[in-house]
Amino acid sequence: MEETDVPFHFLCPISIQLMRDPVTVSTGITYERESIERWLFSCKHDTCPVTKQVLTGIDLTPNHTLRRLIQSWCTLNAFEQIPTPKLPLDTTQIVKLIDDAKKSPEMQRRCLQRLRSIAFRSEDCKKYYLESAGAVEFLASIIKRNDSTILEVELDTGLEFKRSCHEALSILSHLETSATALKKLVANNGYDNGDNQFVASLMGVLRCGNHESRSNAIVLMKSISEALDPNQMTSIKSEFFSLVVDVLRDQISEKASKAALKILAEACPWGRNRIKAVEKGAVSVLVELLMETFERRPCELMLVVLDQLCGCAEGRAELLEHGAGLAIVSKKILRVSHGATDRAVKILSSISRVSATSRVLQEMLDVGVVTKLCLVMQVKTSLKTKERAKEILKLHSRVCKKSTCIPPHLLSSYPS
């Protein structure tokens, strides 16, 4: 939202009719809390709307004097009485809460309960207050103390650690932590060797946590993967891909599967990550999932990842090795969306250009791949997709055009 799009009362520093909870920003200007929070957190501005100065912090100081004046004015003028606002979210209170949590397990439990109640609010401002108070680092420290060994013990102490870890994971995954904060969690010298303690702890949860914790961990790993730089992406360990593929295979939840697919989509273009994912069975799992999935977005994501994996010889070999590989990719053409069609044709293009043996060409005819490509030439699809389909058909016209597998009415669309 641009400044010109903001209604006047968002910018007006003192509006008695609207101000129910006046607060003052670092420039000394007073605003209605709801309006200035929307300006800062929803519209993502960092300036004072009136002075245009950059704010030195996000703390909003309640203007009790002005609020009492407004309440008095309402009483004198028989105006609707403005109630005293509830205690607002305050950074200093959260800091104190976190400091107290370090004193005892009981205080830590109370702190986690309070942080959960804040994190699960609907306000856009919640993550900014929690991040600035150090809540992200605090939650991460709890997760880091709970490695795979602690998660498996059944002693009372171990179970307490386990519960704390699950709670911290739930809060952190729901918090929608900013990329800046996530980068700080993985910004140590050990990450380039894949030994970041926080990431290792998340992998421990993915390895032996319950369904809910694994779901929260993979969602958090998705956010982290989106924040990593290329050098960090190329250093991801093979074991990580194994755990991500296991999440897809186990179908823990729709949210977890979507996060796992997005991780693969982010990671596979870098370094040897495609080969690592293929070696851990990603192609086979994706083909099996495509056979059972009909929703548009999941299908598109699966085909995006499958397209990336078929960019290497190992990925193409795995797809052709699977009995339903070519058939299910062909089946998604013209049946899901334009995006899915584009990706499916691109996958077939990779196969036909470098992996089209006589056996593969015959399978393409038998499962209807060539028929689908002829249809692509006739219907409304993107120009690039039509060009790929035409290239495939022309490349193998000597074999395909003479086949009885192609319906006669489609032969007219076969490129010469």
Side-chain angles (χ1 to χ4, degrees):
M1 182 181 289
E2 300 296 329
E3 291 182 12
T4 54
D5 296 327
V6 181
F8 177 74
H9 69 266
F10 281 16
L11 308 180
C12 183
I14 299 179
S15 177
I16 292 177
Q17 293 89 340
L18 294 174
M19 279 200 177
R20 307 176 73 85
D21 187 6
V23 292
T24 304
V25 297
S26 59
T27 57
I29 306 297
T30 297
Y31 300 92
E32 166 60 27
R33 180 183 291 278
E34 181 181 351
S35 299
I36 192 62
E37 284 183 346
R38 192 178 308 177
W39 171 263
L40 294 172
F41 306 126
S42 296
C43 301
K44 303 188 184 302
H45 293 291
D46 62 354
T47 58
C48 172
V50 170
T51 67
K52 312 301 181 189
Q53 293 177 308
V54 176
L55 299 175
T56 58
I58 61 170
D59 286 334
L60 306 176
T61 306
N63 192 329
H64 298 298
T65 302
L66 178 58
R67 177 173 54 78
R68 284 193 289 268
L69 286 171
I70 293 172
Q71 288 176 327
S72 299
W73 183 91
C74 290
T75 301
L76 291 172
N77 292 274
F79 209 74
E80 180 185 358
Q81 186 67 38
I82 297 176
T84 300
K86 294 180 180 179
L87 190 65
L89 194 61
D90 184 78
T91 303
T92 56
Q93 292 175 352
I94 299 173
V95 170
K96 185 179 186 305
L97 191 67
I98 293 171
D99 288 340
D100 290 343
K102 300 170 185 176
K103 297 177 181 178
S104 69
E106 177 61 31
M107 295 296 286
Q108 179 175 284
R109 276 197 301 273
R110 292 180 183 177
C111 176
L112 289 173
Q113 290 172 356
R114 176 64 178 142
L115 291 178
R116 167 177 277 275
S117 69
I118 296 171
F120 280 73
R121 289 179 182 177
S122 59
E123 297 96 327
D124 291 327
C125 62
K126 63 188 179 187
K127 72 176 181 180
Y128 295 93
Y129 286 117
L130 289 172
E131 283 184 17
S132 62
V136 172
E137 291 81 0
F138 169 70
L139 294 169
S141 69
I142 293 176
I143 297 169
K144 285 190 286 188
R145 289 203 305 271
N146 292 269
D147 58 22
S148 58
T149 303
I150 293 176
L151 283 169
E152 290 172 344
V153 297
E154 295 298 329
L155 299 173
D156 289 343
T157 303
L159 289 174
E160 182 62 37
F161 277 130
K162 185 177 179 179
R163 282 191 290 266
S164 297
C165 177
H166 293 338
E167 184 74 348
L169 264 175
S170 176
I171 297 168
L172 202 51
S173 65
H174 191 84
L175 193 54
E176 299 178 358
T177 308
S178 70
T180 302
L182 289 171
K183 285 179 180 179
K184 289 180 180 179
L185 293 182
V186 297
N188 66 16
N189 295 329
Y191 187 83
D192 291 337
N193 297 317
D195 296 325
N196 178 269
Q197 187 181 356
F198 180 63
V199 173
S201 298
L202 291 179
M203 289 175 64
V205 175
L206 289 173
R207 192 180 302 112
C208 58
N210 60 28
H211 276 11
E212 182 181 358
S213 290
R214 289 176 71 196
S215 180
N216 288 328
I218 199 71
V219 168
L220 200 48
M221 285 302 305
K222 186 265 295 184
S223 299
I224 290 173
S225 69
E226 292 171 346
L228 295 180
D229 61 45
N231 288 334
Q232 292 171 317
M233 293 296 280
T234 56
S235 66
I236 298 175
K237 287 185 174 182
S238 294
E239 184 191 3
F240 175 70
F241 288 98
S242 177
L243 296 171
V244 174
V245 171
D246 284 343
V247 169
L248 282 175
R249 183 183 290 112
D250 296 343
Q251 289 290 278
I252 297 171
S253 68
E254 184 178 340
K255 179 178 71 171
S257 295
K258 184 178 179 181
L261 288 169
K262 287 189 173 183
I263 287 173
L264 291 175
E266 288 282 342
C268 284
W270 301 101
R272 291 178 52 83
N273 288 345
R274 286 181 299 189
I275 297 173
K276 293 174 186 176
V278 170
E279 289 174 345
K280 299 306 178 182
V283 172
S284 177
V285 170
L286 288 169
V287 170
E288 298 291 335
L289 290 176
L290 277 170
M291 294 170 65
E292 303 170 358
T293 305
F294 304 97
E295 292 82 4
R296 181 183 64 84
R297 186 54 181 156
C299 278
E300 288 176 344
L301 276 173
M302 291 173 197
L303 288 168
V304 165
V305 177
L306 202 54
D307 173 31
Q308 293 173 343
L309 297 178
C310 286
C312 65
E314 293 83 354
R316 294 189 294 272
E318 285 294 314
L319 181 69
L320 294 173
E321 185 69 23
H322 196 290
L326 282 176
I328 194 60
V329 171
S330 174
K331 187 176 181 180
K332 297 304 178 182
I333 295 176
L334 304 177
R335 297 190 65 174
V336 179
S337 67
H338 290 304
T341 296
D342 293 344
R343 288 290 178 173
V345 172
K346 191 177 177 187
I347 292 168
L348 296 174
S349 176
S350 297
I351 297 294
S352 67
R353 280 188 287 106
V354 291
S355 303
T357 62
S358 56
R359 180 188 70 81
V360 171
L361 289 176
Q362 187 57 51
E363 184 178 353
M364 290 174 70
L365 285 164
D366 293 341
V367 300
V369 169
V370 180
T371 298
K372 273 293 183 73
L373 293 174
C374 289
L375 282 171
V376 168
M377 298 294 297
Q378 290 187 341
V379 301
K380 184 179 180 181
T381 54
S382 71
L383 180 60
K384 189 67 176 177
T385 296
K386 284 185 183 293
E387 289 176 352
R388 286 198 177 103
K390 183 177 181 180
E391 179 189 14
I392 297 169
L393 293 173
K394 289 182 69 175
L395 194 61
H396 305 294
S397 61
R398 187 172 298 179
V399 175
C400 299
K401 201 170 183 180
K402 298 176 182 178
S403 174
T404 57
C405 296
I406 306 175
H409 69 279
L410 290 178
L411 281 174
S412 60
S413 63
Y414 204 104
S416 58

